[in-house]
């Protein structure tokens, strides 16, 4: 009886429990439109949309939320102060956008409502700025073999960076995951009589990438965010869509995106190994509407739709110099 009392004896207060859990599993602080789904470490989120649909901007804004500290020198920045590992697979990473967006976030938190670069540099905390950039781990790959080699050798680097900074990698980002799709698809492997190795193909390289990612997430749980360009069909009328839906989805290979009178048809083209690896998928597309900001600039409005999990509502958002904002 005494042992039972000792076993159920409280050894931790509710406050200490919440503090410990928040340190071990901090909130993700994801920007719109990723804030809708309940995401956690180990999830794989695919951000799909035509170009342009702000896919890369969403990644960079999420990265800024991650590398900023929650507080610095008594000033609240609201970040996670964690590491981000960013794979630039299509070699279109814009370091100037990351730098300027980070500067604006720092200056805005410090108080002055400044938009000019001169005033930003005047109020910028250089020590904080450089500390944030050091938490952004950048890797560029030029083909699938380099990408696979990087994944196979990345585990020691993650361990070294985590020990050096005293914090772990929170986000693993790929922009874009299908960058080598057409090259790998067109590749013609050598005859099996010439080589006894497993032939290089789109399917085999994708399976190897997914296998490495699964193993990586077992040792280093992270939230995976991957962009992917969409292959969209033309808009169809409601009656045309009804006729299309009567046929087998496997025969058409097309998935309807929106629920209005006119809809886009999205064609899934990544191999099944990657499709089964994805836990969440959000579709983006540009709207015919625009948003007028305070400077009378007309900014494009983007529309979202969650496929995994299927949500009954969609968001509208726009991209400004200060970040991503929902449009009501």
């Amino acid at each position: 009886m005494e042992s039972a009392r000792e076993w159920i004896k409280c050894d931790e207060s509710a406050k200490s429990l919440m503090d410990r859990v928040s340190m071990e599993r901090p909130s993700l602080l994801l920007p719109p439109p990723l804030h809708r789904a309940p995401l956690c470490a180990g999830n794989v989120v695919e951000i799909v949309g035509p170009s342009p649909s702000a896919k890369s901007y969403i990644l960079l804004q999420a990265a800024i939320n991650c590398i900023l500290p929650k507080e610095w020198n008594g000033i609240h920045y609201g970040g996670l102060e964690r590491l981000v590992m960013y794979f630039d697979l299509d070699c279109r990473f814009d370091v100037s956008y990351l730098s300027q967006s980070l500067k604006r976030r720092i200056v805005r938190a410090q108080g002055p409502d400044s938009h000019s670069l001169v005033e930003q540099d005047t109020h910028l905390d250089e020590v904080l700025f450089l500390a944030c950039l050091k938490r952004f781990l950048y890797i560029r790959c030029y083909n699938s073999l380099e990408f696979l080699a990087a994944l196979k050798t990345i585990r020691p680097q993650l361990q070294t960076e985590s020990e050096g900074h005293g914090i772990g990698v929170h986000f693993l980002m790929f922009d874009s995951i299908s960058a080598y799709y057409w090259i790998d698809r067109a590749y013609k492997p050598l005859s099996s009589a010439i080589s006894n190795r497993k032939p290089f193909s789109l399917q085999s390289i994708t399976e190897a990438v997914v296998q490495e990612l699964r193993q990586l997430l077992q040792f280093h749980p992270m939230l995976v965010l991957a962009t992917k360009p969409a292959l969209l069909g033309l808009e169809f009328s409601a009656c045309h869509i009804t006729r299309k839906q009567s046929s087998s989805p496997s025969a058409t290979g097309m998935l309807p995106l929106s629920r209005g009178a006119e809809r886009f048809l999205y064609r899934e083209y990544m191999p099944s190994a990657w499709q089964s690896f994805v836990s969440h998928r959000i579709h983006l597309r540009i709207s015919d509407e625009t948003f007028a900001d305070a400077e009378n600039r007309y900014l494009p409005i983007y529309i979202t739709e969650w496929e995994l999990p299927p949500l009954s509502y969609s968001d509208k958002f726009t991209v400004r110099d200060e970040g991503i904002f929902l449009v009501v």
Side-chain angles (χ1 to χ4, degrees), residues 100 103-104 107 110 112-126:
Q100 296 303 326
K103 287 181 179 179
R104 291 187 181 97
V107 172
Q110 292 173 347
D113 187 14
S114 170
H115 297 282
S116 70
L117 296 180
V118 175
E119 292 176 338
Q120 282 183 18
D121 292 336
T122 301
H123 297 94
L124 182 66
D125 189 327
E126 288 289 346

Side-chain angles (χ1 to χ4, degrees), residues 156-231:
Q157 182 183 356
L158 285 175
Q159 188 68 28
T160 301
E161 295 289 351
S162 298
E163 293 175 354
H165 290 83
I167 50 178
V169 176
H170 211 51
F171 294 150
L172 180 61
M173 300 181 172
F174 302 108
D175 192 16
S176 76
I177 193 62
S178 62
Y180 317 122
Y181 170 81
W182 296 107
I183 297 176
D184 294 344
R185 180 179 175 180
Y187 181 81
K188 295 182 179 180
L190 297 174
S191 172
S192 58
I194 300 177
S195 175
N196 294 326
R197 295 182 179 181
K198 187 176 181 179
F200 178 93
S201 65
L202 174 64
Q203 184 69 29
S204 63
I205 197 70
T206 304
E207 291 174 353
V209 165
V210 170
Q211 180 181 358
E212 292 297 328
L213 285 175
R214 290 188 188 277
Q215 295 177 359
L216 183 63
L217 293 178
Q218 288 180 352
F219 290 93
H220 301 276
M222 299 170 283
L223 176 65
V224 180
L225 301 175
T227 65
K228 186 180 75 175
L231 296 183

Side-chain angles (χ1 to χ4, degrees), residues 57 60-61 64-65 67-68 94-108 117 120 124 129 319-324:
Y57 289 114
L60 292 180
Q61 288 299 324
I64 291 174
N65 288 351
I67 62 180
L68 275 172
D94 188 355
V95 67
S96 63
Y97 177 82
L98 173 65
S99 175
Q100 296 303 326
S101 295
L102 179 59
K103 287 181 179 179
R104 291 187 181 97
R105 287 284 298 273
I106 293 175
V107 172
R108 187 175 59 181
L117 296 180
Q120 282 183 18
L124 182 66
F129 178 70
V319 178
R320 300 167 58 184
D321 294 337
E322 299 82 5
I324 298 175

Side-chain angles (χ1 to χ4, degrees), residues 24-37:
E24 295 175 354
R25 299 180 61 183
S27 61
L28 297 177
L29 292 179
L30 290 167
L34 300 181
H35 67 300
R36 290 294 187 186

Side-chain angles (χ1 to χ4, degrees), residues 1 39 69 84 90 100 162 166 203 218 227 234 246 269 306 313:
M1 189 68 178
L39 301 174
V84 171
D90 57 10
Q100 296 303 326
S162 298
Q203 184 69 29
Q218 288 180 352
T227 65
L234 299 176
S246 63
Y269 57 93
W306 283 93
Y313 54 84

Side-chain angles (χ1 to χ4, degrees), residues 266-317:
Y266 161 72
R267 179 180 181 274
E268 178 56 68
Y269 57 93
M270 288 293 285
S272 57
W274 172 258
Q275 294 183 43
S276 61
F277 184 54
V278 172
S279 62
H280 295 72
R281 180 178 292 115
I282 182 173
H283 293 273
L284 312 176
R285 62 183 177 90
I286 192 168
S287 169
D288 294 332
E289 304 174 90
T290 57
F291 176 82
D293 64 3
E295 300 176 2
N296 290 325
R297 294 179 302 175
Y298 290 92
L299 306 175
I301 293 178
Y302 304 95
I303 303 175
T304 70
E305 183 171 346
W306 283 93
E307 179 189 340
L308 291 175
L311 301 180
S312 59
Y313 54 84
S314 63
D315 289 314
K316 294 182 179 181
F317 69 93

